[in-house]
Amino acid sequence: MNLKNKVVVKIGILGLGTVGTGTVQILQDPVGRHHLLQTLEIARVGVRSIDKQRDVDLPLALVTTDLDSIVTDPEIEIIVEVLGGIEPARSLILKAIEHGKHIVTANKAVIAKFGDEIFTAANRAGVYVMLEAAVGGGIPVIQPLKQSLGVNRIQRVTGIINGTTNYILTRMTVEGGEFDDILADAKNLGYAEADPTADVDGLDAGDKIAILASLAFGGRIKRDDVSCEGIRKISATDIAYADKLNFVIKLLAIAERVEDGAVSVRVHPTFVPKDRPLATVNGVYNAILIEGDPLGQVMLFGPGAGAGATASAIVSDLLAIVGVIQSKPSREDVVNSPSTALHPLLSCSHDGYISIAPLASLRSSFYVRFLCMDVPGVIGKLGTRFGAHNVSIESIVQTGFQGDRAEIVVVTHDVSEGDFESALAEIRKLDSIASIPSIIRVL
Ligand code: HSE
Protein backbone atom coordinates (compact mmCIF):
# COMPACT_ATOMS: atom_id res chain seq x y z
CA MET A 1 0.00 0.00 0.00
CA ASN A 2 1.26 3.44 -0.84
CA LEU A 3 1.34 5.48 2.36
CA LYS A 4 2.71 8.59 0.66
CA ASN A 5 -0.65 10.34 0.73
CA LYS A 6 -1.59 9.10 4.14
CA VAL A 7 -1.54 11.73 6.84
CA VAL A 8 0.57 11.06 9.92
CA VAL A 9 -1.62 10.89 13.03
CA LYS A 10 0.02 12.12 16.21
CA ILE A 11 -0.90 10.46 19.47
CA GLY A 12 -0.32 11.33 23.11
CA ILE A 13 -0.05 8.57 25.69
CA LEU A 14 -1.08 9.18 29.30
CA GLY A 15 0.69 6.60 31.47
CA LEU A 16 3.72 4.43 30.91
CA GLY A 17 2.95 1.52 33.21
CA THR A 18 2.47 -2.05 32.00
CA VAL A 19 -0.13 -1.27 29.32
CA GLY A 20 1.45 2.02 28.22
CA THR A 21 4.79 0.29 27.80
CA GLY A 22 3.19 -2.55 25.82
CA THR A 23 1.51 0.02 23.57
CA VAL A 24 4.77 1.87 22.87
CA GLN A 25 6.48 -1.45 22.13
CA ILE A 26 3.91 -2.35 19.45
CA LEU A 27 4.02 1.14 17.92
CA GLN A 28 7.82 1.06 17.77
CA ASP A 29 7.82 -2.32 16.07
CA PRO A 30 5.26 -2.07 13.23
CA VAL A 31 6.79 -4.49 10.71
CA GLY A 32 4.53 -7.43 9.90
CA ARG A 33 1.53 -5.76 11.53
CA HIS A 34 -1.23 -3.68 9.90
CA HIS A 35 0.25 -1.14 7.46
CA LEU A 36 -1.73 1.74 8.99
CA LEU A 37 0.46 1.45 12.11
CA GLN A 38 3.12 3.28 10.13
CA THR A 39 0.96 6.39 10.06
CA LEU A 40 0.91 6.66 13.87
CA GLU A 41 3.48 8.86 15.57
CA ILE A 42 4.02 9.02 19.32
CA ALA A 43 4.13 12.78 19.93
CA ARG A 44 4.15 12.93 23.75
CA VAL A 45 4.09 10.51 26.66
CA GLY A 46 2.87 11.59 30.10
CA VAL A 47 4.33 9.95 33.22
CA ARG A 48 4.30 10.53 36.95
CA SER A 49 8.07 10.36 37.33
CA ILE A 50 10.62 11.06 34.60
CA ASP A 51 13.44 9.20 36.38
CA LYS A 52 11.77 5.80 36.62
CA GLN A 53 13.54 2.91 34.86
CA ARG A 54 11.55 1.92 31.70
CA ASP A 55 11.40 -1.08 29.38
CA VAL A 56 11.16 1.15 26.29
CA ASP A 57 13.51 3.61 24.63
CA LEU A 58 11.83 6.96 24.18
CA PRO A 59 13.55 10.26 23.36
CA LEU A 60 13.55 12.23 26.64
CA ALA A 61 12.02 15.20 24.83
CA LEU A 62 8.79 13.22 24.31
CA VAL A 63 8.32 12.40 27.97
CA THR A 64 6.70 14.86 30.36
CA THR A 65 5.01 14.98 33.74
CA ASP A 66 2.73 17.76 32.47
CA LEU A 67 -0.25 15.64 31.39
CA ASP A 68 -2.40 18.71 30.80
CA SER A 69 -0.05 19.91 28.09
CA ILE A 70 -0.59 16.62 26.22
CA VAL A 71 -4.39 16.74 26.18
CA THR A 72 -4.34 20.36 25.00
CA ASP A 73 -1.54 19.96 22.42
CA PRO A 74 -3.06 21.11 19.08
CA GLU A 75 -0.91 18.68 17.06
CA ILE A 76 -2.17 15.57 18.86
CA GLU A 77 -5.30 13.88 17.44
CA ILE A 78 -5.66 10.82 19.66
CA ILE A 79 -5.09 10.43 23.39
CA VAL A 80 -4.34 6.96 24.78
CA GLU A 81 -5.37 6.96 28.44
CA VAL A 82 -3.75 4.12 30.37
CA LEU A 83 -3.45 5.75 33.78
CA GLY A 84 -6.25 3.70 35.36
CA GLY A 85 -8.37 4.89 38.30
CA ILE A 86 -10.91 7.68 38.30
CA GLU A 87 -8.86 10.86 38.73
CA PRO A 88 -7.00 12.45 37.07
CA ALA A 89 -8.08 10.11 34.23
CA ARG A 90 -11.66 11.42 34.05
CA SER A 91 -10.67 15.11 34.01
CA LEU A 92 -7.93 14.54 31.45
CA ILE A 93 -10.26 12.57 29.16
CA LEU A 94 -12.90 15.31 29.35
CA LYS A 95 -10.32 18.02 28.69
CA ALA A 96 -8.92 16.08 25.73
CA ILE A 97 -12.44 15.71 24.30
CA GLU A 98 -13.02 19.43 24.80
CA HIS A 99 -9.89 19.98 22.71
CA GLY A 100 -11.24 17.78 19.90
CA LYS A 101 -9.15 14.66 20.53
CA HIS A 102 -10.28 11.08 20.11
CA ILE A 103 -9.78 8.85 23.15
CA VAL A 104 -8.53 5.28 23.41
CA THR A 105 -8.74 3.98 26.95
CA ALA A 106 -8.25 0.78 28.95
CA ASN A 107 -9.99 2.34 31.94
CA LYS A 108 -13.09 0.29 32.78
CA ALA A 109 -13.66 2.06 36.10
CA VAL A 110 -13.89 5.54 34.59
CA ILE A 111 -16.08 4.37 31.70
CA ALA A 112 -18.42 2.32 33.92
CA LYS A 113 -18.87 5.20 36.38
CA PHE A 114 -18.60 8.28 34.13
CA GLY A 115 -19.43 6.88 30.69
CA ASP A 116 -22.55 9.02 30.50
CA GLU A 117 -20.59 12.26 30.96
CA ILE A 118 -17.73 11.14 28.72
CA PHE A 119 -19.81 9.84 25.78
CA THR A 120 -22.16 12.83 25.89
CA ALA A 121 -19.14 15.15 25.68
CA ALA A 122 -17.58 13.03 22.92
CA ASN A 123 -20.73 12.98 20.78
CA ARG A 124 -21.04 16.72 21.18
CA ALA A 125 -17.40 17.23 20.17
CA GLY A 126 -17.57 14.72 17.30
CA VAL A 127 -14.79 12.48 18.62
CA TYR A 128 -14.55 8.76 19.35
CA VAL A 129 -14.03 7.12 22.72
CA MET A 130 -12.73 3.61 22.11
CA LEU A 131 -12.44 1.04 24.90
CA GLU A 132 -11.64 -2.40 23.51
CA ALA A 133 -8.91 -2.77 26.16
CA ALA A 134 -11.26 -2.04 29.05
CA VAL A 135 -12.90 -5.48 29.04
CA GLY A 136 -11.23 -8.84 28.54
CA GLY A 137 -7.70 -7.48 27.91
CA GLY A 138 -6.69 -8.73 24.47
CA ILE A 139 -10.02 -10.43 23.69
CA PRO A 140 -11.93 -8.52 21.01
CA VAL A 141 -15.39 -8.13 22.56
CA ILE A 142 -16.35 -4.43 22.39
CA GLN A 143 -16.20 -4.08 18.59
CA PRO A 144 -17.80 -7.52 18.04
CA LEU A 145 -20.73 -6.47 20.26
CA LYS A 146 -21.02 -3.17 18.39
CA GLN A 147 -20.55 -4.58 14.90
CA SER A 148 -20.30 -8.28 14.02
CA LEU A 149 -22.87 -9.37 16.62
CA GLY A 150 -24.88 -6.15 16.44
CA VAL A 151 -27.65 -7.62 14.30
CA ASN A 152 -28.45 -10.20 16.95
CA ARG A 153 -31.04 -9.71 19.65
CA ILE A 154 -28.82 -10.40 22.66
CA GLN A 155 -30.38 -12.47 25.41
CA ARG A 156 -27.44 -12.93 27.77
CA VAL A 157 -23.76 -12.10 28.23
CA THR A 158 -21.92 -14.26 30.76
CA GLY A 159 -18.30 -13.54 31.49
CA ILE A 160 -15.33 -14.71 33.44
CA ILE A 161 -13.80 -11.26 33.18
CA ASN A 162 -11.50 -10.99 36.16
CA GLY A 163 -8.25 -12.91 35.84
CA THR A 164 -7.15 -12.49 39.46
CA THR A 165 -10.24 -14.17 40.91
CA ASN A 166 -10.24 -16.86 38.24
CA TYR A 167 -6.60 -17.60 39.10
CA ILE A 168 -7.42 -17.86 42.83
CA LEU A 169 -10.52 -20.04 42.28
CA THR A 170 -8.64 -22.28 39.86
CA ARG A 171 -5.86 -22.83 42.40
CA MET A 172 -8.40 -23.47 45.18
CA THR A 173 -10.00 -26.09 42.91
CA VAL A 174 -6.76 -27.76 41.90
CA GLU A 175 -4.94 -27.58 45.27
CA GLY A 176 -7.84 -27.59 47.73
CA GLY A 177 -6.35 -24.57 49.55
CA GLU A 178 -8.17 -21.81 51.45
CA PHE A 179 -8.86 -18.38 49.93
CA ASP A 180 -6.60 -16.34 52.29
CA ASP A 181 -3.54 -18.56 51.74
CA ILE A 182 -3.88 -18.59 47.95
CA LEU A 183 -4.55 -14.84 47.83
CA ALA A 184 -1.34 -14.24 49.83
CA ASP A 185 0.60 -16.44 47.42
CA ALA A 186 -1.01 -14.75 44.39
CA LYS A 187 0.18 -11.36 45.74
CA ASN A 188 3.74 -12.69 46.10
CA LEU A 189 3.66 -14.03 42.56
CA GLY A 190 2.24 -10.78 41.11
CA TYR A 191 -1.14 -12.28 40.14
CA ALA A 192 -2.98 -10.11 42.69
CA GLU A 193 -2.53 -6.45 43.61
CA ALA A 194 -1.25 -5.44 47.07
CA ASP A 195 -4.79 -4.09 47.60
CA PRO A 196 -6.90 -6.78 45.92
CA THR A 197 -10.28 -5.24 46.85
CA ALA A 198 -11.45 -4.31 43.35
CA ASP A 199 -10.71 -7.80 42.06
CA VAL A 200 -11.75 -10.11 44.91
CA ASP A 201 -14.89 -8.15 45.81
CA GLY A 202 -16.17 -8.35 42.23
CA LEU A 203 -15.96 -4.57 41.60
CA ASP A 204 -13.62 -4.82 38.61
CA ALA A 205 -15.90 -7.44 37.04
CA GLY A 206 -18.86 -5.17 37.89
CA ASP A 207 -17.32 -2.28 35.93
CA LYS A 208 -16.69 -4.57 32.98
CA ILE A 209 -20.14 -6.20 32.87
CA ALA A 210 -21.76 -2.74 33.13
CA ILE A 211 -19.90 -1.82 29.93
CA LEU A 212 -20.79 -5.08 28.16
CA ALA A 213 -24.45 -4.81 29.22
CA SER A 214 -24.64 -1.28 27.89
CA LEU A 215 -23.40 -2.44 24.47
CA ALA A 216 -25.41 -5.66 24.39
CA PHE A 217 -28.70 -4.05 25.39
CA GLY A 218 -28.27 -0.61 23.82
CA GLY A 219 -28.59 1.75 26.77
CA ARG A 220 -26.70 3.29 29.62
CA ILE A 221 -26.30 1.54 32.97
CA LYS A 222 -25.97 3.19 36.35
CA ARG A 223 -22.94 1.50 37.90
CA ASP A 224 -24.59 1.51 41.34
CA ASP A 225 -27.38 -0.71 39.92
CA VAL A 226 -24.90 -3.54 39.27
CA SER A 227 -24.94 -5.95 42.21
CA CYS A 228 -21.44 -7.25 43.03
CA GLU A 229 -20.53 -10.14 45.28
CA GLY A 230 -16.91 -11.32 45.37
CA ILE A 231 -15.12 -14.51 46.33
CA ARG A 232 -13.80 -13.81 49.86
CA LYS A 233 -16.36 -16.14 51.45
CA ILE A 234 -15.63 -19.11 49.17
CA SER A 235 -14.04 -21.86 51.26
CA ALA A 236 -12.19 -25.07 50.47
CA THR A 237 -15.28 -26.89 51.79
CA ASP A 238 -17.53 -25.26 49.15
CA ILE A 239 -15.03 -26.02 46.41
CA ALA A 240 -15.01 -29.68 47.53
CA TYR A 241 -18.83 -29.88 47.63
CA ALA A 242 -19.01 -28.29 44.18
CA ASP A 243 -16.65 -30.96 42.87
CA LYS A 244 -18.69 -33.79 44.43
CA LEU A 245 -21.86 -32.37 42.87
CA ASN A 246 -20.11 -32.10 39.45
CA PHE A 247 -19.65 -28.32 39.40
CA VAL A 248 -16.79 -25.83 39.59
CA ILE A 249 -17.11 -22.43 41.28
CA LYS A 250 -16.48 -19.43 39.02
CA LEU A 251 -16.94 -15.69 39.54
CA LEU A 252 -19.48 -14.95 36.81
CA ALA A 253 -20.49 -11.52 35.56
CA ILE A 254 -23.93 -11.80 34.00
CA ALA A 255 -26.10 -9.41 32.02
CA GLU A 256 -29.39 -10.83 30.81
CA ARG A 257 -32.74 -9.72 29.55
CA VAL A 258 -35.47 -10.76 31.99
CA GLU A 259 -39.22 -10.22 32.13
CA ASP A 260 -40.78 -6.89 31.10
CA GLY A 261 -37.73 -6.03 29.00
CA ALA A 262 -35.65 -5.16 32.09
CA VAL A 263 -32.05 -6.29 32.29
CA SER A 264 -30.33 -7.97 35.23
CA VAL A 265 -26.65 -7.05 35.63
CA ARG A 266 -24.73 -8.76 38.40
CA VAL A 267 -21.51 -10.40 39.55
CA HIS A 268 -21.43 -13.34 41.91
CA PRO A 269 -19.69 -16.67 42.54
CA THR A 270 -21.59 -19.40 40.74
CA PHE A 271 -21.68 -23.20 40.64
CA VAL A 272 -21.03 -23.93 36.94
CA PRO A 273 -21.72 -27.48 35.67
CA LYS A 274 -18.41 -29.09 34.69
CA ASP A 275 -19.63 -29.80 31.17
CA ARG A 276 -20.23 -26.12 30.28
CA PRO A 277 -17.51 -24.34 28.24
CA LEU A 278 -17.13 -21.62 30.94
CA ALA A 279 -16.19 -24.31 33.47
CA THR A 280 -13.03 -25.05 31.50
CA VAL A 281 -11.72 -21.45 31.58
CA ASN A 282 -8.91 -21.59 34.10
CA GLY A 283 -6.09 -19.51 35.57
CA VAL A 284 -5.82 -15.87 34.52
CA TYR A 285 -7.75 -16.47 31.29
CA ASN A 286 -11.01 -14.66 30.56
CA ALA A 287 -14.00 -15.77 28.49
CA ILE A 288 -17.22 -14.13 27.44
CA LEU A 289 -20.21 -16.18 26.32
CA ILE A 290 -22.69 -14.19 24.23
CA GLU A 291 -26.14 -15.64 23.53
CA GLY A 292 -28.37 -14.02 20.94
CA ASP A 293 -30.95 -14.52 18.27
CA PRO A 294 -30.48 -15.84 15.64
CA LEU A 295 -26.79 -16.62 16.18
CA GLY A 296 -27.05 -18.86 19.25
CA GLN A 297 -23.92 -18.97 21.40
CA VAL A 298 -20.50 -17.48 20.75
CA MET A 299 -17.70 -17.77 23.29
CA LEU A 300 -14.70 -15.47 23.13
CA PHE A 301 -11.67 -16.72 25.07
CA GLY A 302 -8.18 -15.36 25.68
CA PRO A 303 -5.77 -13.44 27.86
CA GLY A 304 -7.73 -10.94 29.96
CA ALA A 305 -4.77 -8.86 31.11
CA GLY A 306 -1.06 -8.30 30.61
CA ALA A 307 1.05 -5.80 28.70
CA GLY A 308 0.97 -7.35 25.23
CA ALA A 309 -2.65 -8.50 25.28
CA THR A 310 -4.08 -5.21 26.52
CA ALA A 311 -1.81 -3.17 24.26
CA SER A 312 -3.04 -5.25 21.31
CA ALA A 313 -6.58 -4.02 22.08
CA ILE A 314 -5.39 -0.42 22.53
CA VAL A 315 -3.58 -0.37 19.20
CA SER A 316 -6.52 -2.01 17.41
CA ASP A 317 -8.64 0.94 18.58
CA LEU A 318 -5.97 3.35 17.34
CA LEU A 319 -6.13 1.66 13.95
CA ALA A 320 -9.92 1.89 13.83
CA ILE A 321 -9.74 5.65 14.44
CA VAL A 322 -6.89 6.14 11.96
CA GLY A 323 -8.94 4.24 9.37
CA VAL A 324 -11.79 6.69 9.85
CA ILE A 325 -9.51 9.74 9.95
CA GLN A 326 -7.92 8.67 6.68
CA SER A 327 -11.25 8.29 4.92
CA LYS A 328 -13.67 10.59 6.67
CA PRO A 329 -14.97 14.10 6.04
CA SER A 330 -12.77 17.04 6.90
CA ARG A 331 -12.43 18.39 10.43
CA GLU A 332 -14.60 21.35 9.34
CA ASP A 333 -17.45 18.92 8.58
CA VAL A 334 -17.06 17.40 12.00
CA VAL A 335 -17.03 20.78 13.70
CA ASN A 336 -20.14 21.90 11.81
CA SER A 337 -22.13 18.76 12.52
CA PRO A 338 -20.33 16.83 15.26
CA SER A 339 -22.30 13.67 16.01
CA THR A 340 -23.64 13.12 12.49
CA ALA A 341 -20.10 13.10 11.16
CA LEU A 342 -19.16 10.17 13.41
CA HIS A 343 -18.92 6.64 12.04
CA PRO A 344 -22.06 5.00 13.46
CA LEU A 345 -20.37 1.65 14.09
CA LEU A 346 -17.61 3.19 16.21
CA SER A 347 -19.42 5.91 18.16
CA CYS A 348 -21.78 5.58 21.09
CA SER A 349 -25.28 5.58 19.63
CA HIS A 350 -27.51 5.41 22.72
CA ASP A 351 -28.25 7.89 25.47
CA GLY A 352 -31.23 6.47 27.41
CA TYR A 353 -30.90 4.38 30.57
CA ILE A 354 -31.74 0.66 30.71
CA SER A 355 -34.25 -0.49 33.30
CA ILE A 356 -32.43 -2.80 35.75
CA ALA A 357 -34.26 -5.74 37.34
CA PRO A 358 -33.80 -6.04 41.13
CA LEU A 359 -32.16 -9.26 42.35
CA ALA A 360 -35.31 -10.23 44.29
CA SER A 361 -37.25 -10.48 41.01
CA LEU A 362 -34.91 -13.09 39.49
CA ARG A 363 -35.20 -16.85 39.50
CA SER A 364 -32.19 -18.94 40.39
CA SER A 365 -31.11 -22.25 41.78
CA PHE A 366 -29.08 -22.10 45.03
CA TYR A 367 -26.51 -24.16 46.91
CA VAL A 368 -26.75 -23.50 50.66
CA ARG A 369 -24.53 -24.95 53.39
CA PHE A 370 -25.88 -25.01 56.96
CA LEU A 371 -24.09 -25.80 60.21
CA CYS A 372 -26.62 -27.24 62.66
CA MET A 373 -27.12 -28.93 66.02
CA ASP A 374 -27.12 -32.67 65.44
CA VAL A 375 -30.62 -33.16 66.85
CA PRO A 376 -33.72 -34.88 65.47
CA GLY A 377 -35.96 -33.00 63.04
CA VAL A 378 -33.51 -30.40 61.64
CA ILE A 379 -33.81 -31.56 58.03
CA GLY A 380 -37.61 -31.64 58.45
CA LYS A 381 -37.65 -28.05 59.73
CA LEU A 382 -35.50 -26.87 56.83
CA GLY A 383 -37.79 -28.61 54.33
CA THR A 384 -40.91 -27.12 55.96
CA ARG A 385 -39.57 -23.53 55.97
CA PHE A 386 -38.40 -23.77 52.36
CA GLY A 387 -41.70 -25.38 51.30
CA ALA A 388 -43.75 -22.66 53.02
CA HIS A 389 -42.06 -20.10 50.76
CA ASN A 390 -42.41 -22.06 47.50
CA VAL A 391 -38.74 -23.04 47.50
CA SER A 392 -38.49 -26.49 45.98
CA ILE A 393 -35.49 -28.58 47.03
CA GLU A 394 -33.56 -30.61 44.47
CA SER A 395 -31.27 -32.35 46.98
CA ILE A 396 -30.54 -32.24 50.69
CA VAL A 397 -27.64 -34.14 52.25
CA GLN A 398 -25.96 -34.36 55.63
CA THR A 399 -22.50 -35.61 54.88
CA GLY A 400 -20.33 -34.77 57.83
CA PHE A 401 -19.36 -32.54 60.71
CA GLN A 402 -17.40 -29.31 61.22
CA GLY A 403 -16.37 -29.72 64.87
CA ASP A 404 -19.57 -30.63 66.72
CA ARG A 405 -21.84 -29.07 64.10
CA ALA A 406 -23.60 -31.22 61.54
CA GLU A 407 -23.15 -29.98 57.98
CA ILE A 408 -26.23 -30.00 55.76
CA VAL A 409 -26.07 -29.03 52.09
CA VAL A 410 -29.21 -28.06 50.18
CA VAL A 411 -29.49 -27.48 46.42
CA THR A 412 -32.77 -25.87 45.35
CA HIS A 413 -34.59 -25.95 42.04
CA ASP A 414 -35.00 -22.63 40.18
CA VAL A 415 -36.82 -20.43 42.68
CA SER A 416 -37.69 -16.78 43.13
CA GLU A 417 -34.78 -15.01 44.88
CA GLY A 418 -37.32 -13.09 46.97
CA ASP A 419 -39.00 -16.34 48.17
CA PHE A 420 -35.62 -17.88 48.87
CA GLU A 421 -34.56 -14.88 51.01
CA SER A 422 -37.86 -15.02 52.95
CA ALA A 423 -37.36 -18.71 53.69
CA LEU A 424 -33.77 -18.10 54.82
CA ALA A 425 -34.87 -15.26 57.12
CA GLU A 426 -37.10 -17.77 58.97
CA ILE A 427 -34.47 -20.52 58.94
CA ARG A 428 -31.91 -18.17 60.54
CA LYS A 429 -34.21 -17.86 63.55
CA LEU A 430 -34.28 -21.63 64.20
CA ASP A 431 -32.40 -22.60 67.40
CA SER A 432 -31.05 -25.71 65.71
CA ILE A 433 -29.32 -23.70 62.92
CA ALA A 434 -25.93 -22.45 64.16
CA SER A 435 -24.87 -20.65 60.96
CA ILE A 436 -25.22 -20.50 57.18
CA PRO A 437 -21.60 -20.23 55.96
CA SER A 438 -22.35 -20.36 52.23
CA ILE A 439 -25.08 -19.39 49.81
CA ILE A 440 -23.99 -19.70 46.16
CA ARG A 441 -26.09 -19.46 43.01
CA VAL A 442 -26.11 -22.40 40.61
CA LEU A 443 -25.99 -21.81 36.84
N1 HSE B 1 -7.36 -6.77 37.47
C1 HSE B 1 -7.88 -7.29 36.26
C2 HSE B 1 -8.04 -8.79 36.37
C3 HSE B 1 -7.04 -7.05 35.06
O1 HSE B 1 -7.60 -9.40 37.35
O2 HSE B 1 -8.60 -9.37 35.45
C4 HSE B 1 -7.28 -5.75 34.39
O3 HSE B 1 -8.61 -5.59 33.99
Side-chain angles (χ1 to χ4, degrees):
M1 163 122 187
N2 180 4
L3 291 172
K4 258 199 313 213
N5 298 326
K6 296 286 163 191
V7 187
V8 165
V9 175
K10 294 195 176 186
I11 65 169
I13 301 177
L14 305 178
L16 199 50
T18 310
V19 180
T21 300
T23 302
V24 171
Q25 283 167 342
I26 295 179
L27 293 172
Q28 288 182 336
D29 179 23
V31 177
R33 311 185 200 274
H34 198 287
H35 59 80
L36 275 183
L37 274 182
Q38 293 167 43
T39 64
L40 285 165
E41 180 188 320
I42 302 172
R44 308 288 297 283
V45 178
V47 296
R48 265 188 209 115
S49 152
I50 296 275
D51 303 327
K52 200 173 155 190
Q53 199 68 19
R54 313 272 174 199
D55 287 340
V56 280
D57 263 342
L58 277 168
L60 256 187
L62 296 191
V63 184
T64 176
T65 54
D66 182 1
L67 276 55
D68 245 46
S69 71
I70 300 181
V71 298
T72 54
D73 184 330
E75 298 227 312
I76 289 174
E77 289 195 68
I78 311 176
I79 294 291
V80 174
E81 184 276 307
V82 281
L83 297 165
I86 301 296
E87 287 293 354
R90 170 184 157 272
S91 303
L92 288 164
I93 288 172
L94 288 170
K95 192 173 241 186
I97 290 172
E98 203 182 296
H99 283 79
K101 294 166 199 340
H102 306 289
I103 306 293
V104 173
T105 179
N107 193 330
K108 61 261 163 178
V110 87
I111 294 295
K113 295 182 183 79
F114 295 97
D116 187 351
E117 185 182 25
I118 289 169
F119 283 106
T120 300
N123 283 350
R124 204 174 294 137
V127 296
Y128 298 102
V129 176
M130 305 289 282
L131 53 137
E132 189 59 74
V135 182
I139 305 172
V141 61
I142 302 292
Q143 283 315 112
L145 273 174
K146 281 187 183 173
Q147 298 189 14
S148 350
L149 301 172
V151 297
N152 286 271
R153 206 170 284 132
I154 305 292
Q155 178 57 34
R156 189 177 297 104
V157 177
T158 313
I160 293 174
I161 45 180
N162 182 268
T164 305
T165 46
N166 203 41
Y167 172 84
I168 293 171
L169 290 173
T170 301
R171 280 196 52 191
M172 287 177 75
T173 302
V174 172
E175 298 167 24
E178 286 294 356
F179 170 79
D180 287 333
D181 300 330
I182 292 180
L183 172 63
D185 202 38
K187 282 189 199 174
N188 287 335
L189 294 168
Y191 288 110
E193 306 271 349
D195 176 1
T197 311
D199 292 319
V200 301
D201 290 337
L203 308 176
D204 173 80
D207 289 340
K208 292 168 177 169
I209 196 66
I211 292 170
L212 295 182
S214 174
L215 293 166
F217 299 108
R220 292 182 178 170
I221 305 272
K222 292 199 176 82
R223 176 62 181 83
D224 287 346
D225 288 344
V226 180
S227 127
C228 295
E229 180 188 329
I231 65 164
R232 284 186 203 268
K233 289 192 208 147
I234 303 295
S235 65
T237 308
D238 297 315
I239 297 268
Y241 273 118
D243 184 52
K244 269 189 221 157
L245 294 164
N246 231 10
F247 292 90
V248 287
I249 300 179
K250 294 288 181 193
L251 183 69
L252 293 189
I254 302 171
E256 64 183 334
R257 177 122 15 229
V258 292
E259 281 161 24
D260 302 333
V263 171
S264 165
V265 191
R266 57 194 199 270
V267 176
H268 50 68
T270 313
F271 271 42
V272 179
K274 283 183 187 170
D275 61 0
R276 299 282 185 94
L278 283 170
T280 64
V281 177
N282 287 322
V284 292
Y285 281 96
N286 282 197
I288 300 120
L289 179 71
I290 300 167
E291 296 168 71
D293 175 54
L295 185 68
Q297 298 191 339
V298 168
M299 191 162 104
L300 307 166
F301 167 86
T310 313
S312 156
I314 293 271
V315 181
S316 79
D317 278 347
L318 284 171
L319 283 189
I321 297 176
V322 170
V324 177
I325 289 176
Q326 303 286 20
S327 61
K328 80 170 185 191
S330 67
R331 178 156 285 283
E332 287 68 44
D333 290 338
V334 178
V335 169
N336 291 335
S337 178
S339 59
T340 52
L342 288 173
H343 190 304
L345 291 175
L346 295 183
S347 63
C348 174
S349 55
H350 54 251
D351 53 13
Y353 278 87
I354 293 173
S355 159
I356 301 292
L359 274 185
S361 71
L362 304 181
R363 292 188 70 79
S364 199
S365 162
F366 288 90
Y367 154 96
V368 202
R369 185 161 59 88
F370 298 95
L371 291 179
C372 326
M373 314 298 170
D374 192 20
V375 292
V378 178
I379 288 185
K381 284 181 188 163
L382 285 176
T384 308
R385 297 305 187 285
F386 276 132
H389 290 277
N390 280 324
V391 174
S392 174
I393 292 174
E394 184 181 301
S395 70
I396 182 162
V397 284
Q398 177 177 343
T399 54
F401 285 85
Q402 300 270 349
D404 61 350
R405 303 287 187 224
E407 194 164 54
I408 294 177
V409 166
V410 170
V411 177
T412 73
H413 283 292
D414 260 0
V415 298
S416 138
E417 295 224 4
D419 288 345
F420 178 75
E421 283 304 329
S422 306
L424 277 191
E426 277 191 26
I427 289 168
R428 282 196 178 94
K429 291 184 201 148
L430 294 173
D431 290 340
S432 45
I433 301 295
S435 63
I436 308 177
S438 322
I439 303 168
I440 302 174
R441 290 173 183 80
V442 179
L443 190 68

